[in-house]
Amino acid sequence: MSADDAAPVCAVVGAGPGNGRAIATRFADGGYRVALLARDTTRLDGLAADIENAVAIGCDVTSADSIAAAHRHLRSDPGDPEVLVYNAGSGLFGSVDEVQPEAFEQAWRTNAAGLLAWTQAVLPAMRARGSGRIVIMGATAARRGGAAFTAFASAKHAQYGLAQSLARKLGPENIHVSYIVIDGVIDLERTRRMLPDKPDDFFLSADDIAEAVYHVAHQPRSARSFEIDLRPFGERW
């Protein structure tokens, strides 16, 4: 077994150019082999090429068959994860007058059902090892539902409730489940185009978010967090 083969594995489900890339890079810098999972395999390949010890795996979190196939690939290469970061989320917005039932269900499948399926997939290996970390990337919408957040807030509320249930069940088994509330706008090319007049300190840095995720995933057993909220220093709350 090579040194790389002996390294722990972090799987980032819902890997993209923002938080996903930053989280994967931080864990790779910390000595992990990293699996990047998302639907867009072309973009994934580009992300993986830029991160040391990273593997790209296609996965649609709304499909049980896709999750099962991705999990088989993950177990084969790079291996069973010691850390699962669930970053998949549906960003569909709209009011009660605009959201269709199909889209409402799709948001739930992405944010909540996909999390359950991936947790069930990685649990046997974590239990056999006697430890594991599951970090769930949430949003302010998990706490309150805005008028234009009909589908997204409902899905995030479901995700948050599931995360609490998982944490209470799995914590005594030394599987640490945590929920990161992102309260603000992440600094991306897309969000900069949408908000061109905002100053730099209006945005959350994906790298700083990743540092917080890495810290939570390495908290000692005697002092662990379930919920952490992250926001720019000037954000009103």
Side-chain angles (χ1 to χ4, degrees), residues 82-104:
E82 297 189 22
V83 180
L84 174 73
V85 179
Y86 195 82
N87 187 52
S90 172
L92 175 70
F93 302 105
S95 72
V96 64
D97 298 310
E98 299 161 326
V99 173
Q100 298 301 311
E102 295 80 6
F104 186 91

Side-chain angles (χ1 to χ4, degrees), residues 53-234:
N53 293 324
V55 175
I57 303 173
C59 179
D60 178 356
V61 298
T62 68
S63 165
D65 289 343
S66 180
I67 291 173
H71 182 239
R72 289 193 296 270
H73 185 164
L74 174 63
R75 296 200 73 193
S76 173
D77 181 27
D80 288 311
E82 297 189 22
V83 180
L84 174 73
V85 179
Y86 195 82
N87 187 52
S90 172
L92 175 70
F93 302 105
S95 72
V96 64
D97 298 310
E98 299 161 326
V99 173
Q100 298 301 311
E102 295 80 6
F104 186 91
E105 181 179 345
Q106 190 78 352
W108 170 79
R109 289 191 178 280
T110 300
N111 288 278
L115 169 62
L116 175 64
W118 264 108
T119 300
Q120 290 175 333
V122 301
L123 263 182
M126 288 185 176
R127 281 173 162 155
R129 188 189 307 116
S131 66
R133 281 72 56 87
I134 299 172
V135 185
I136 302 148
M137 304 304 295
T140 310
R143 293 177 171 170
R144 61 178 185 265
F149 288 68
T150 303
F152 186 61
S154 299
K156 282 297 182 185
H157 272 70
Q159 183 188 68
Y160 182 78
L162 172 59
Q164 283 189 325
S165 179
L166 295 175
R168 289 187 166 98
K169 168 65 176 176
L170 300 177
E173 300 181 51
N174 195 31
I175 297 172
H176 178 200
V177 178
S178 54
Y179 194 86
I180 311 294
V181 176
I182 304 299
D183 185 20
V185 180
I186 300 170
D187 192 353
L188 304 169
E189 289 184 13
R190 171 175 54 83
T191 55
R192 288 282 187 164
R193 288 195 301 268
M194 292 169 57
L195 301 164
D197 298 327
K198 294 296 184 181
D200 291 348
D201 58 13
F202 170 82
F203 298 92
L204 288 113
S205 161
D207 290 339
D208 291 341
I209 292 171
E211 190 64 41
V213 170
Y214 189 85
H215 167 73
V216 169
H218 293 85
Q219 288 178 323
R221 291 173 59 171
S222 67
R224 285 179 169 171
S225 304
F226 166 68
E227 181 179 341
I228 290 181
D229 49 6
L230 302 175
R231 62 180 61 89
F233 75 96

